[in-house]
Amino acid sequence: MKITLRALRVNAGFTIKEASYRLGISSVTLRSYENKKTKPNIDLLNRMLKLYNVKFSNFEYSNEDQELILT
């Protein structure tokens, strides 16, 4: 199963503005991650998962697709 960063944010109940503020990045930057124009580094990805309250024990992040893949 694949899950996009946008889907994680929306499911957690955050707007772009709220999530970007809490992550300490601009909304333009967050939007570019969600639209797969740029890729977050592993530290930021971990902060996103923590903010969105995502706890997967087995997942991979596909750099090519920029999606979380549950294994």
Side-chain angles (χ1 to χ4, degrees):
M1 171 165 50
K2 294 183 180 183
I3 301 173
T4 64
L5 294 175
R6 181 178 188 275
L8 291 174
R9 175 182 56 77
V10 170
N11 287 337
F14 290 102
T15 65
I16 283 271
K17 188 175 181 178
E18 292 169 326
S20 62
Y21 175 79
R22 290 182 184 217
L23 292 167
I25 60 175
S26 73
S27 56
V28 172
T29 300
L30 182 55
R31 188 171 281 116
S32 76
Y33 295 145
E34 292 184 354
N35 291 330
K36 303 177 185 180
K37 293 181 180 178
T38 57
K39 301 173 187 175
N41 63 36
I42 192 69
D43 177 58
L44 181 57
L45 180 60
N46 283 328
R47 289 187 357 233
M48 288 174 161
L49 295 177
K50 186 175 180 179
L51 175 64
Y52 302 155
N53 200 27
V54 176
K55 296 176 184 172
F56 299 121
S57 58
N58 295 310
F59 74 89
E60 297 174 10
Y61 181 72
S62 169
N63 279 324
E64 183 177 325
D65 298 328
Q66 290 186 283
E67 297 174 327
L68 293 175
I69 302 169
L70 302 180
T71 55

